[in-house]
Amino acid sequence: MPTTPSTPTGPAALSAPKTNRVRVSVTAADPITREGVLSQLRRHPEVEVCGEPGPGGVSLLIEDTLDEAALTRLRRAVRSEGARAVLVTGSVREHELLDVIECGVGAVVWRREATAHRLVQAVLTTAKGGGDLPADLLGQLIGQVRRLHQGGPDQPGFFLSFTKREVDVVRLVSEGFDTSEIATKLAYSERTVKNVMHGLTTRLHLRNRAHVVAYALREGFI
């Protein structure tokens, strides 16, 4: 007589994979902060804590200051690991905001608001390809977009293509200056200049410096 398959119970059921969970990794400057965030996330079944989230996952980065090293970690999480990024930080100065967005960050959470619920909400929103910015930061971004359109080339899409810093760097590249000379003229580090060019080639799907300059000339940005 045929038997009806039973539903797994006990340890086997508890260990069954949960395919809908979002894979998330946590990076912080100190182990205490990292363990605290991991402890919060592990209480929520919607997320799965892992070492490297990989494509489709979320990399949650906790940064005290947004220096060039922090921006490099953000870029690596998005471009090298294929993950989406959530940034937890104490503040974002106005001139840093475009850099953060340019790195591919999907959500920003203020440290003072980083409860377990708020972190999970940001992770889930980012995993779906959405954006999640604090209201005051969103206001800053809108203001910067408006100013870039008013002060930049008279073309739609200026903000989406080149920031003022990118225009400055590419203009000097077009004039034949090398990386160290550009860094000296603009008072940037050489790493910053390299990151600007790498960001342009990656975001705009261009091949090299010459291609960036040709694109900028053709579109009227320099």
Side-chain angles (χ1 to χ4, degrees):
M1 183 174 179
T3 59
T4 303
S6 60
T7 302
T9 58
L14 295 176
S15 62
K18 299 179 180 179
T19 57
N20 293 329
R21 300 175 75 183
V22 174
R23 290 171 58 83
V24 57
S25 67
V26 176
T27 301
D30 61 272
I32 293 177
T33 299
R34 182 174 182 273
E35 287 303 317
V37 173
L38 288 174
S39 176
Q40 292 188 68
L41 294 177
R42 289 192 182 107
R43 301 179 197 150
H44 292 261
E46 307 99 314
V47 299
E48 176 188 355
V49 175
C50 59
E52 294 184 5
V58 174
S59 183
L60 192 153
L61 299 99
I62 306 158
E63 301 289 352
D64 292 324
T65 57
L66 292 177
D67 55 15
E68 200 58 45
L71 293 174
T72 297
R73 286 191 288 272
L74 289 172
R75 293 187 185 97
R76 185 182 302 118
V78 175
R79 295 169 185 166
S80 301
E81 300 172 12
R84 295 185 169 95
V86 172
L87 172 64
V88 180
T89 188
S91 64
V92 177
R93 289 174 291 184
E94 188 169 354
H95 71 274
E96 297 169 333
L97 181 54
L98 292 183
D99 288 330
V100 169
I101 302 300
E102 186 181 292
C103 287
V105 171
V108 175
V109 178
W110 298 134
R111 291 190 69 139
R112 61 184 178 273
E113 299 175 355
T115 62
H117 173 76
R118 183 71 186 88
L119 291 175
V120 171
Q121 180 186 51
V123 166
L124 296 180
T125 298
T126 302
K128 296 174 183 177
D132 188 350
L133 296 179
D136 52 344
L137 207 57
L138 183 59
Q140 284 187 37
L141 180 60
I142 292 172
Q144 289 201 33
V145 172
R146 184 181 300 114
R147 287 193 296 274
L148 282 170
H149 277 292
Q150 291 171 346
D154 186 19
Q155 294 188 34
F158 172 67
F159 168 69
L160 296 177
S161 296
F162 282 67
T163 65
K164 182 182 182 302
R165 182 169 71 171
E166 290 168 341
V167 170
D168 292 340
V169 170
V170 175
R171 181 177 289 116
L172 291 176
V173 170
S174 72
E175 294 173 4
F177 293 101
D178 62 24
T179 298
S180 62
E181 292 171 326
I182 294 171
T184 299
K185 283 182 173 293
L186 298 178
Y188 295 155
S189 68
E190 291 189 30
R191 177 181 292 180
T192 295
V193 175
K194 292 176 181 178
N195 284 339
V196 168
M197 295 304 296
H198 176 72
L200 282 169
T201 55
T202 302
R203 190 174 77 247
L204 300 175
H205 306 290
L206 303 174
R207 294 186 297 276
N208 48 43
R209 285 188 169 205
H211 197 186
V212 171
V213 170
Y215 177 92
L217 287 168
R218 184 176 69 247
E219 298 298 324
F221 295 111
I222 62 173

